[in-house]
């Protein structure tokens, strides 16, 4: 058995080298790059929300290059059909003159898949992606085809232009490990972006890790132990998002329609393990769990109409959840 300290150091060095190489192309977006790396290490899919032109596609393509993985991009449009994603059976003629159906793979057969503007496609097409995300397989013509690991989907959606879109249903949102909000660059970052991209030689990235490295990393993440008090802290945070539950603050009772699912608890713990490894530790602390709360749960807490009227955001609500749970834990136990 390998030394836990050495394993943690290997994981930290791998993730940091991928991050450094990615930053040759990507300017700013520190939290986004870190969040994407956490999800990738945990084997979870990511939903990026931000207006066009902020570098979301460039980020995914750069990551694929640094890891030397097969990358494909699917532009979601209202007329996109499920077969355009999964592939289809094509009638072909063999050398002997016989006609037979041969399966032609769609763009979903890649290691890293960018689902661009996912909410522009119809629910029927979105559901084709849903099976691939959940099962790492697709079914075409009654036959099931497995997707080669690692398989990772990063989807984008535009929060502003909602006309002609099909909002992702809660069941599909729940399949995303993290939801990350891509911010506008600052003046300093914008200056750096134009200097890099309008010069003679655009920055080039080199592979710094392999498919096997990523698969090993994902396996190590699963093996990191979590102490019962830290695990219970994560579970209390999830329970606190349910109205009228034992740990729910008044704001949750007032503004939440549905709380986070059990997948949120799985996400908090897995993300906490990655954050610990990023810090070179082979044990999960409460601070690791707290880092993951917003990206892990902002898309899993469904607000009601009153919250919309009062302009309440999931992030604000999750801050109240953390405060309330920690306050409850500090209260003396009645004898």
């Amino acid at each position: 058995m390998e030394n836990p300290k050495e394993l943690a150091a290997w994981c930290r060095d791998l993730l940091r080298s991928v991050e450094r190489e990615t930053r040759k192309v990507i300017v700013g977006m520190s939290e986004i790059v870190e969040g994407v790396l956490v999800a990738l290490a945990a084997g979870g899919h990511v939903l990026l929300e931000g207006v066009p032109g902020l570098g979301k596609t460039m980020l995914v393509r750069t990551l694929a290059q640094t890891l030397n993985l097969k990358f494909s991009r699917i532009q979601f449009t209202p007329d996109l059909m499920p077969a355009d994603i999964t592939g289809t059976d094509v009638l072909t003629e063999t050398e002997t003159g016989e006609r037979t159906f041969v399966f032609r793979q769609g763009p979903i057969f890649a290691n890293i898949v960018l689902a661009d503007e996912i909410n522009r496609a119809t629910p029927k097409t979105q559901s084709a992606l849903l099976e691939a995300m959940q099962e790492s397989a697709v079914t075409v013509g009654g036959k099931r085809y497995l997707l080669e690991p690692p398989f990772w989907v990063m989807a984008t959606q535009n929060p502003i232009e909602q006309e002609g879109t099909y909002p992702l249903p809660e069941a599909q949102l729940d399949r995303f490990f993290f939801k990350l909000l891509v911010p506008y660059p600052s003046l300093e970052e914008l200056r750096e972006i134009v200097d890099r991209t309008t010069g003679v030689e655009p920055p080039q990235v080199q592979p710094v890790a392999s498919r096997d490295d990523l698969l090993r990393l994902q396996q190590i993440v699963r093996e990191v132990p979590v102490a019962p008090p830290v695990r219970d802290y994560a579970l209390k945070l999830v329970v606190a998002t349910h109205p009228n539950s034992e740990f729910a603050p008044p704001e949750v009772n007032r503004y939440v329609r549905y709380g986070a699912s059990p997948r949120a608890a799985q996400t908090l713990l897995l993300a906490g393990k990655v954050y610990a490894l990023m810090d070179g530790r082979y044990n999960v602390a409460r601070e690791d769990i707290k880092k993951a709360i917003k990206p892990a749960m902002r898309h899993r807490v469904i607000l009601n109409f009153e919250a919309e009227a009062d302009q309440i955001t999931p992030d604000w609500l999750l801050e109240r959840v953390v405060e309330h749970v920690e306050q409850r834990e500090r209260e003396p136990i009645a004898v």
Side-chain angles (χ1 to χ4, degrees):
M1 184 179 171
E2 292 183 75
N3 186 310
K5 282 189 177 179
E6 290 176 1
L7 283 176
W10 180 84
C11 294
R12 179 196 60 207
D13 294 344
L14 177 72
L15 287 165
R16 292 306 175 201
S17 63
V18 172
E19 184 180 14
R20 276 195 304 273
E21 198 67 19
T22 303
R23 292 203 175 284
K24 288 183 181 178
V25 175
I26 303 301
V27 178
M29 295 204 294
S30 300
E31 286 186 18
I32 304 300
V33 172
E34 185 178 65
V36 165
L37 286 174
V38 169
L40 186 60
H45 309 294
V46 176
L47 178 62
L48 284 181
E49 187 172 276
V51 297
L54 295 181
K56 301 185 290 293
T57 305
M58 182 64 72
L59 171 59
V60 192
R61 185 178 284 114
T62 304
L63 267 178
Q65 290 172 345
T66 60
L67 293 164
N68 202 20
L69 294 173
K70 184 182 177 185
F71 167 76
S72 79
R73 178 176 181 267
I74 307 170
Q75 182 64 53
F76 279 67
T77 56
D79 59 350
L80 190 75
M81 299 298 290
D84 297 328
I85 296 174
T86 60
T88 188
D89 290 322
V90 178
L91 186 63
T92 57
E93 193 171 304
T94 64
E95 292 177 2
T96 58
E98 288 183 83
R99 291 192 171 189
T100 182
F101 281 102
V102 175
F103 178 65
R104 183 172 292 168
Q105 294 181 351
I108 198 74
F109 286 84
N111 299 122
I112 296 183
V113 177
L114 173 64
D116 215 357
E117 294 195 285
I118 188 173
N119 55 337
R120 291 222 172 276
T122 60
K124 183 179 180 180
T125 303
Q126 289 176 8
S127 67
L129 187 67
L130 184 64
E131 182 196 0
M133 289 169 61
Q134 186 63 22
E135 309 291 338
S136 289
V138 296
T139 304
V140 178
K143 192 172 179 183
R144 186 177 166 88
Y145 299 90
L146 295 177
L147 299 168
E148 184 186 356
F151 173 68
W152 187 62
V153 173
M154 192 152 113
T156 69
Q157 66 177 17
N158 179 353
I160 298 172
E161 205 179 322
Q162 295 300 330
E163 192 175 330
T165 62
Y166 302 85
L168 296 177
E170 286 77 8
Q172 187 156 350
L173 281 172
D174 200 31
R175 258 71 174 186
F176 286 101
F177 187 85
F178 271 4
K179 179 182 178 181
L180 302 172
L181 308 178
V182 185
Y184 278 105
S186 65
L187 176 63
E188 201 60 43
E189 290 166 349
L190 197 56
R191 186 180 292 128
E192 180 69 23
I193 289 169
V194 296
D195 286 348
R196 284 193 196 182
T197 55
T198 60
V200 179
E201 293 236 357
Q204 300 294 322
V205 296
Q206 300 298 323
V208 293
S210 66
R211 171 182 175 273
D212 290 341
D213 289 332
L214 181 57
L215 291 175
R216 183 179 182 226
L217 172 64
Q218 291 177 348
Q219 182 61 39
I220 293 170
V221 167
R222 296 271 171 176
E223 294 167 0
V224 175
V226 181
V230 177
R231 177 202 61 201
D232 290 346
Y233 174 64
L235 300 184
K236 286 173 187 174
L237 291 169
V238 174
V239 171
T241 64
H242 293 257
N244 305 313
S245 66
E246 181 186 357
F247 294 97
E251 294 88 352
V252 165
N253 294 332
R254 180 177 178 185
Y255 291 122
V256 174
R257 189 153 50 105
Y258 299 112
S261 71
R263 277 199 191 94
Q266 296 165 350
T267 300
L268 284 178
L269 291 172
L270 280 172
K273 292 180 178 190
V274 182
Y275 280 122
L277 290 172
M278 278 182 154
D279 202 31
R281 289 178 285 108
Y282 201 71
N283 62 287
V284 182
R286 287 167 65 107
E287 288 305 311
D288 299 319
I289 301 294
K290 284 173 76 170
K291 273 186 185 179
I293 286 168
K294 289 180 181 178
M297 295 211 284
R298 60 167 57 109
H299 56 301
R300 291 184 165 105
V301 175
I302 311 303
L303 305 184
N304 58 25
F305 292 116
E306 188 177 354
E308 195 175 331
D310 290 352
Q311 297 185 320
I312 300 298
T313 65
D315 284 11
W316 178 86
L317 203 69
L318 290 169
E319 288 170 7
R320 306 289 82 74
V321 164
V322 174
E323 289 170 4
H324 188 75
V325 168
E326 294 188 345
Q327 182 184 339
R328 283 289 303 273
E329 289 187 330
R330 287 194 295 268
E331 289 174 1
I333 300 172
V335 180

